[in-house]
Amino acid sequence: MGIVYEAVDDVLDRPVAIKTINMSGDLAERADHEARFMQEARAAGGLSHPNVITVYDVGREQNVLYMAMELLDGEELRDLLGRGRLPLATAVEIAAQIAEGLAFAHERGIVHRDVKPSNIMVMRGNRAKITDFGIARVRTSEVKTQTGLRLGSPRYMSPEQVLGQPVDARADIFALGVVLYEMLAGVPPFGGDDVQAIMYRVTTFEPPAPSRLNPAVPTMLDLVVARALAKDPARRYPGAEELAADVRASLSAAVKPAGAAAPTPAPVPAAGVDRSAFTQTMPLPAATPVRKLARAWRLRGGSTRMRRCARSPRRPGRGAQSPGKCARAREPRTCDNALGAGHARGCCRSPSRSRPSPRSRSRSADAAGAPRRPRASVDPVALRLPVDRLPPAR
């Protein structure tokens, strides 16, 4: 509201900013503008804080009202956001400073009601200051807001402001949460094609967490923003000083000391698992010489199914064959070549048997070079069942 000029104070020889407003309009409008202008002067003039603009003087010259303020050498936060989202440390520092300035104003009964990037000035070293208390509500205000009248910028208004309900300091906390979200994510949380669409989203829409748009945002800062943007004022921060403390704490928790390595999480055993298995080395079972076992069993005339071998592993509940017994003998024997390269003639025979087995004779004949007796051939066709005895097809 009004026009701002840069000037120089002749008495103190310092640069100042002079905000003026022309009162040459309608009589009713002049009265309202003058009352609001003087309210802004009293609101900002009664605050002396590093994060609130300082007012030097206020007066009237004919039809022009003026207010002399400190000249800020910086740029608006709106211009910074126009170039993209801010670094995490910069956004957190600006938000914390604005929260501290609002806390100082709230303690003196002043509610800004129009916190937005264009009303925040950022100087060198990321020093931030709140400006433009034009629609601020003062405890002893002569300007009464009409019931149901909406004052503020729709994109940064709280739900109670949109609905025309009474507001308090928690409306500024909501607006600061919107500004913080925009600094972190690069986009405002509530958008729309027109004012009605924006107001509808302010009252009903839950924006996504800033970390979904900016992975550098820590989870704790997501929680801070979510609490500041709560639709219900009772669920927000009760004061701006708590918001400033949580914002700074979230940045401290996210920044790790230089050279510090992240601790490796210890493995967590599942339920019912022995915890000693995570610290002890479990020995593996020895490999079974499969080829030797198969060859030894074939030389004895047996099948290559390893479960029938004398030294093969048994199923659970059954022990292995003892070394002193042959797999096919009914009586004890004295053969120790179960795992050897072969058997001597008659080594696996029982003591009560004096003649070698037919298999042993055939092996002896093969070793001597004698012709081997042909085996009886079996016609595969003879093994097939007649057609009338086949089971029915399913």
Side-chain angles (χ1 to χ4, degrees):
M1 182 176 65
I3 303 175
V4 180
Y5 299 92
E6 181 180 355
V8 177
D9 187 352
D10 296 336
V11 178
L12 300 178
D13 192 18
R14 60 181 177 182
V16 295
I18 299 180
K19 183 177 182 178
T20 63
I21 181 173
N22 194 342
M23 306 297 295
S24 60
D26 183 74
L27 182 61
E29 293 181 357
R30 282 192 303 174
D32 183 68
H33 291 169
E34 182 177 1
R36 293 193 180 278
F37 187 85
M38 298 304 295
Q39 175 175 295
E40 177 184 2
R42 285 191 297 269
L47 301 176
S48 179
H49 191 271
N51 302 117
V52 178
I53 192 171
T54 303
V55 175
Y56 299 137
D57 189 17
V58 61
R60 179 169 184 168
E61 185 66 28
Q62 296 181 0
N63 291 332
V64 177
L65 293 174
Y66 69 89
M67 179 169 49
M69 305 173 293
E70 65 173 321
L71 182 62
L72 302 178
D73 185 11
E75 55 183 334
E76 294 180 354
L77 180 59
R78 176 183 57 184
D79 299 334
L80 295 178
L81 292 176
R83 297 192 290 268
R85 65 190 180 199
L86 304 184
L88 180 61
T90 303
V92 168
E93 183 61 26
I94 292 176
Q97 293 183 35
I98 298 303
E100 292 171 353
L102 290 175
F104 185 81
H106 295 164
E107 291 176 358
R108 284 147 183 82
I110 299 175
V111 181
H112 193 282
R113 296 199 295 184
D114 196 19
V115 178
K116 57 184 179 180
S118 59
N119 289 339
I120 298 175
M121 291 291 295
V122 181
M123 283 74 67
R124 293 180 180 179
N126 295 330
R127 293 190 304 110
K129 288 203 173 188
I130 309 172
T131 64
D132 198 352
F133 285 79
I135 63 172
R137 181 180 63 81
V138 187
R139 185 176 301 169
T140 57
S141 175
E142 297 178 359
V143 181
K144 302 300 181 182
T145 302
Q146 181 181 355
T147 303
L149 182 63
R150 302 181 182 92
L151 295 177
S153 302
R155 198 181 300 273
Y156 302 93
M157 291 171 61
S158 63
E160 55 268 26
Q161 285 179 279
V162 172
L163 299 176
Q165 300 174 353
V167 299
D168 53 14
R170 292 171 293 185
D172 288 347
I173 295 177
F174 184 92
L176 181 56
V178 176
V179 174
L180 177 59
Y181 186 102
E182 189 171 358
M183 289 190 295
L184 296 174
V187 294
F190 310 108
D193 298 333
D194 50 23
V195 176
Q196 287 74 17
I198 294 175
M199 290 184 174
Y200 176 78
R201 293 177 71 87
V202 167
T203 56
T204 60
F205 178 68
E206 293 291 344
S211 60
R212 296 185 59 182
L213 304 177
N214 184 6
V217 178
T219 305
M220 184 176 179
L221 198 53
D222 284 340
L223 301 178
V224 173
V225 174
R227 185 177 181 185
L229 294 180
K231 306 298 183 184
D232 185 6
R235 299 180 58 187
R236 298 178 203 150
Y237 284 95
E241 60 276 2
E242 288 88 350
L243 174 59
D246 283 358
V247 167
R248 294 187 186 277
S250 63
L251 181 62
S252 302
V255 176
K256 298 179 182 179
T264 303
V268 180
V273 178
D274 185 11
R275 294 179 179 268
S276 61
F278 287 82
T279 58
Q280 298 179 1
T281 303
M282 304 300 293
L284 296 176
T288 306
V290 179
R291 292 188 177 182
K292 290 186 177 181
L293 292 175
R295 184 179 180 184
W297 180 245
R298 284 198 303 270
L299 291 177
R300 292 202 305 269
S303 172
T304 55
R305 296 175 64 181
M306 299 308 298
R307 64 182 182 87
R308 297 188 60 187
C309 181
R311 293 301 183 102
S312 63
R314 294 287 181 173
R315 292 191 298 269
R318 299 185 180 183
Q321 183 72 22
S322 61
K325 292 185 179 181
C326 181
R328 301 186 63 183
R330 297 182 180 180
E331 299 179 8
R333 52 91 174 172
T334 59
C335 177
D336 293 328
N337 293 329
L339 297 178
H343 290 267
R345 180 179 179 182
C347 66
C348 287
R349 63 183 177 84
S350 172
S352 60
R353 298 173 61 182
S354 58
R355 298 176 59 186
S357 62
R359 291 286 183 179
S360 300
R361 289 198 299 270
S362 64
R363 287 196 297 270
S364 301
D366 293 341
R372 189 173 179 178
R373 183 176 60 183
R375 297 183 179 180
S377 60
V378 180
D379 185 8
V381 181
L383 299 178
R384 298 179 181 180
L385 297 175
V387 178
D388 56 349
R389 297 183 59 182
L390 292 177
R394 295 183 180 180

